[in-house]
Amino acid sequence: MFKGSMVAIVTPFKADGSFDEDTYRKLIDFQIESGTDAIIPCGTTGESATLDFAEHDRVIQVCIEQVAKRVPVIAGTGANSTAEAVTLSKNAKAMGADGLLLVCPYYNKPSQEGIYQHYKAIAAAVDLPQVLYNVPGRTGVNMAAETTVRLAEISNIVAIKEASGNLTQVSEILANAGDKIDVLSGDDFLTFPMLACGAKGVISVSANIVPGQVKAMVAAFFAGDHEKARRLHLELLDLHNAMFIDANPVPVKTSLSLMGKCDAKVRLPLWELSSTNLEKLKTVLRKHQLI
């Protein structure tokens, strides 16, 4: 259902820390004009953890308004409280979101059965296509392949964004439920090998700054030009890695700032890049002729 090159878009802030709606709209247009296949507001890259409820809803609303049905909007509405996730998800549906991205409950460290029941409850409460999101490096818990396979039996759970970094786990999901749930890459540096295993696309951080190049790699793969896709994957690898020299989205927001597209402002407890990492980032951006 959701496939291709999709962006986990940043939430731009003004110098005072407030949501910069005008810049956000420009970033969305930049993505669509560059061929991005779907926009995902309020993911980890969108700093959902430090948006209050009103801001969270407003960011999603502005995204839906600006996209204006040109591509799907998959709203990030996950939370570590099932009730909160249901509320955010219902709000997103009412605003016109095309789907939901639901991060695995973080900090609580639920059992696999708890994870299953969490997602089952949201699926029952909100009739929208839902994308699970497994990112154990952020949440503190890995959603096992067996749990994903169980959840694939629920009709409106249509995909999983896999950011475990574990290709064996990805392969197990595809082997056991690939006909029932789509797998999307959640790690830019693993998109190409995941596509080779059967993934349907990527929800990308790097696409914030190089949407055209990420789209070109994915499009080449699905056009059957695997050699071109492999070459583009390797060319972008250092850029993908540079987006994680500090906590996401600090490097990608800094990159956008250096490119003149938005302020680098992030909300505490995130903080600006160290001078050493800033120089490393600039070196990679210059290599790719982005600054």
Side-chain angles (χ1 to χ4, degrees):
M1 176 176 287
F2 302 121
K3 61 183 181 179
S5 178
M6 298 166 274
V7 65
I9 197 165
V10 300
T11 302
F13 299 126
K14 299 176 183 177
D16 65 2
S18 61
F19 173 40
D20 187 344
E21 292 190 15
D22 290 341
T23 296
Y24 193 50
R25 293 179 186 275
K26 292 175 184 176
L27 290 174
I28 289 167
D29 285 344
F30 169 56
Q31 289 296 321
I32 296 174
E33 290 162 5
S34 300
T36 295
D37 294 303
I39 310 289
I40 295 84
C42 295
T44 303
T45 309
E47 293 178 76
S48 56
T50 51
L51 297 175
D52 65 32
F53 282 112
E55 289 175 320
H56 199 121
D57 286 346
R58 181 59 183 162
V59 171
I60 292 171
Q61 182 180 36
V62 171
C63 185
I64 291 168
E65 288 175 359
Q66 192 65 23
V67 168
K69 299 295 183 182
R70 290 178 287 174
V71 298
V73 173
I74 307 169
T77 54
N80 66 339
S81 159
T82 306
E84 289 180 7
V86 167
T87 297
L88 289 168
S89 298
K90 286 181 175 179
N91 291 351
K93 181 184 178 182
M95 288 184 279
D98 299 288
L100 307 173
L101 178 70
L102 298 159
V103 68
C104 195
Y106 44 87
Y107 190 79
N108 313 60
K109 299 190 78 170
S111 66
Q112 293 300 308
E113 186 62 28
I115 293 170
Y116 175 81
Q117 294 295 337
H118 169 82
Y119 282 121
K120 181 182 177 183
I122 301 169
V126 188
D127 185 21
L128 270 183
Q130 300 182 10
V131 181
L132 314 176
Y133 179 17
N134 185 38
V135 57
R138 287 265 185 179
T139 63
V141 62
N142 178 56
M143 181 161 59
E146 293 85 352
T147 303
T148 302
V149 170
R150 285 180 70 196
L151 287 165
E153 298 295 330
I154 299 172
S155 61
N156 58 329
I157 293 179
V158 300
I160 179 169
K161 177 184 177 183
E162 253 292 340
S164 63
N166 186 335
L167 286 174
T168 300
Q169 178 162 293
V170 167
S171 299
E172 288 172 349
I173 295 167
L174 288 163
N176 292 292
D179 59 335
K180 296 176 181 175
I181 192 168
D182 292 336
V183 173
L184 306 171
S185 172
D187 292 313
D188 279 294
F189 37 82
L190 288 179
T191 299
F192 178 76
M194 285 180 65
L195 292 174
C197 290
K200 296 296 176 63
V202 59
I203 296 179
S204 171
V205 173
S206 298
N208 278 280
I209 58 172
V210 287
Q213 291 92 317
V214 175
K215 174 62 180 282
M217 191 277 285
V218 174
F221 184 91
F222 287 120
D225 194 345
H226 296 166
E227 179 54 34
K228 179 181 178 182
R230 186 186 71 85
R231 174 176 56 79
L232 291 172
H233 161 70
L234 295 176
E235 287 177 359
L236 289 170
L237 190 59
D238 61 344
L239 188 68
H240 296 328
N241 288 332
M243 294 304 99
F244 292 90
I245 58 172
D246 202 324
N248 181 41
V250 177
V252 72
K253 267 195 162 178
T254 305
S255 300
L256 285 165
S257 176
L258 292 167
M259 294 166 64
K261 291 190 174 296
C262 80
D263 197 291
K265 179 76 175 179
V266 290
R267 286 183 173 175
L268 287 169
L270 296 181
W271 192 244
E272 63 191 31
L273 287 180
S274 68
S275 58
T276 299
N277 280 342
L278 179 59
E279 288 308 311
K280 290 179 182 177
L281 179 64
K282 286 180 176 178
T283 297
V284 175
L285 295 176
R286 289 189 188 105
K287 175 187 171 185
H288 288 269
Q289 300 181 336
L290 295 170
I291 61 171

